[in-house]
């Protein structure tokens, strides 16, 4: 999207958590209705995280270089020194003779160890962040593969007036179909919280075509909300339900999740 000064400023305030609760609510509502804004916020968040990591990395490099220039990372102090009172074949390690020397050497070693520890932690955090980003992208890709904005239609019942106990469409059935449409619309707008709440309610209602369909879309909603394990559980349940309208799709989704662990 084209970034105006106002949009850039609002994204910066949002990512740095400097908005008031009211401003934050308005901005998040705007994101829910603007796909390009959501993507831009995600991009700016990744850039900010990357810059933070690079700044930390440069800080560690500078500290390491400074210690190296001052000779604090060299290992001469750890080498044994020969004492004239001992033979050449029996080297001994010279120990610090005063409190000042001992305290200074310990400070050197502590600083060097801190640099190595911080560098290691930063690398681990960066790898974890990269792995998480890759998994989030995979979940979104899987969602796009299996999501359809149009659910399967309800099977048409035979038009037989003499058919005993023929089920008829009830007010609840009509309500569930409308609520399902609303939940699917919420998914399209990335409002996963509303979608999950709505779909859970429908899927737990009277067993019929719409409750079964809601259960399938609940698996997709969990996937889009980055709740991968919940999506896997629901997909496996549906894959084992013979006659479920989305049994085949659920089986494929479950296998797809398993293959991309």
């Amino acid at each position: 999207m084209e970034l105006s000064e106002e949009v850039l400023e609002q994204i910066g305030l949002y990512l740095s958590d400097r908005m008031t609760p009211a401003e934050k609510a308005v901005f998040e509502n705007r994101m829910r209705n603007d796909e390009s804004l959501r993507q831009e916020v995600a991009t700016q968040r990744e850039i900010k995280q990357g810059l933070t990591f690079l700044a930390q990395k440069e800080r560690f490099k500078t500290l390491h270089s400074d210690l190296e220039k001052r000779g604090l990372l060299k290992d001469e102090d750890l080498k044994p020194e020969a004492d004239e009172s001992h033979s050449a074949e029996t080297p001994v390690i010279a120990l610090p003779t005063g409190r000042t020397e001992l305290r200074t050497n310990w400070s050197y070693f502590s600083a060097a160890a801190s640099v190595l520890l911080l560098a290691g932690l930063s690398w681990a955090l960066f790898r974890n962040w990269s792995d998480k980003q890759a998994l989030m992208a995979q979940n979104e890709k899987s969602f796009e593969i299996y999501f359809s904005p149009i659910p399967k239609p309800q099977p048409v019942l035979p038009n037989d007036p003499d058919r005993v106990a023929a089920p008829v469409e009830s007010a609840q059935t009509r309500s569930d179909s409308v609520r399902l449409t609303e939940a699917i619309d919420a998914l399209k707008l990335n409002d996963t919280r509303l979608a999950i709440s709505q779909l859970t309610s429908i899927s737990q209602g009277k067993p019929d075509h719409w409750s079964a369909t809601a259960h399938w879309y609940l698996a997709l909603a969990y996937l889009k909300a980055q709740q991968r394990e919940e999506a896997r559980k629901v997909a496996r349940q549906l894959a084992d339900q013979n006659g479920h309208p989305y049994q085949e799709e659920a089986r494929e989704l479950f296998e797809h999740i398993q293959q991309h662990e």
Side-chain angles (χ1 to χ4, degrees):
M1 66 178 294
E2 183 177 352
L3 295 179
S4 65
E5 291 295 330
E6 179 188 0
V7 172
L8 278 174
E9 181 180 1
Q10 288 184 336
I11 292 177
L13 291 173
Y14 179 74
L15 293 179
S16 59
D17 198 23
R18 289 186 290 127
M19 282 184 167
T20 65
E23 291 173 337
K24 185 176 182 181
V26 171
F27 188 75
E28 289 180 340
N29 183 63
R30 181 179 174 184
M31 282 197 298
R32 280 193 291 270
N33 297 304
D34 189 338
E35 175 67 24
S36 60
L37 178 59
R38 287 195 301 275
Q39 293 177 355
E40 189 60 44
V41 171
T43 300
Q44 294 297 326
R45 180 181 287 111
E46 291 183 5
I47 292 174
K48 181 178 180 181
Q49 292 172 336
L51 290 175
T52 300
F53 170 75
L54 291 176
Q56 291 289 351
K57 183 178 179 182
E58 287 301 316
R59 178 187 173 195
F60 298 145
K61 286 174 63 178
T62 301
L63 180 58
H64 183 277
S65 177
D66 180 62
L67 291 172
E68 191 172 35
K69 288 178 181 178
R70 294 167 57 188
L72 303 183
L73 295 183
K74 296 181 180 179
D75 58 358
E76 281 78 1
D77 292 336
L78 300 179
K79 293 181 180 179
E81 298 179 0
D83 192 315
E84 293 180 356
S85 63
H86 293 76
S87 64
E89 290 78 12
T90 311
V92 295
I93 298 177
L95 296 176
T97 57
R99 291 184 178 182
T100 301
E101 184 180 354
L102 178 61
R103 184 168 57 251
T104 302
N105 284 342
W106 175 252
S107 298
Y108 296 162
F109 300 146
S110 177
S114 297
V115 171
L116 294 176
L117 177 60
L118 290 173
L121 288 174
S122 294
W123 175 245
L125 290 173
F126 177 72
R127 289 195 60 184
N128 289 339
W129 175 78
S130 298
D131 292 343
K132 183 178 180 181
Q133 291 295 108
L135 184 60
M136 291 174 64
Q138 181 59 57
N139 289 341
E140 184 66 26
K141 182 178 179 181
S142 300
F143 171 84
E144 295 295 338
I145 291 174
Y146 292 97
F147 175 75
S148 172
I150 303 176
K152 293 182 179 180
Q154 184 176 19
V156 179
L157 298 175
N159 186 15
D160 184 0
D162 297 326
R163 186 164 178 259
V164 178
V168 295
E169 184 180 40
S170 64
Q172 183 62 46
T173 300
R174 290 191 296 272
S175 173
D176 286 346
S177 66
V178 172
R179 293 168 63 207
L180 177 63
T181 301
E182 293 174 349
I184 294 174
D185 288 340
L187 272 182
K188 291 191 292 185
L189 295 174
N190 287 334
D191 191 348
T192 54
R193 180 179 300 181
L194 174 60
I196 290 174
S197 174
Q198 192 89 304
L199 293 168
T200 300
S201 175
I202 301 171
S203 65
Q204 293 175 349
K206 180 181 178 181
D208 60 11
H209 175 78
W210 299 120
S211 63
T213 300
H215 213 178
W216 159 249
Y217 277 93
L218 180 60
L220 297 179
Y222 280 135
L223 197 60
K224 191 169 185 63
Q226 303 299 329
Q227 299 181 40
R228 191 179 183 88
E229 187 57 34
E230 293 299 323
R232 186 213 311 266
K233 290 179 181 178
V234 175
R236 184 166 188 174
Q237 291 174 4
L238 304 186
D240 293 336
Q241 291 183 17
N242 292 328
H244 191 282
Y246 286 92
Q247 182 181 20
E248 187 60 33
E249 289 88 345
R251 184 180 294 115
E252 291 180 5
L253 176 60
F254 175 75
E255 293 175 353
H256 183 82
I257 294 175
Q258 292 287 91
Q259 291 171 0
H260 293 84
E261 284 299 313

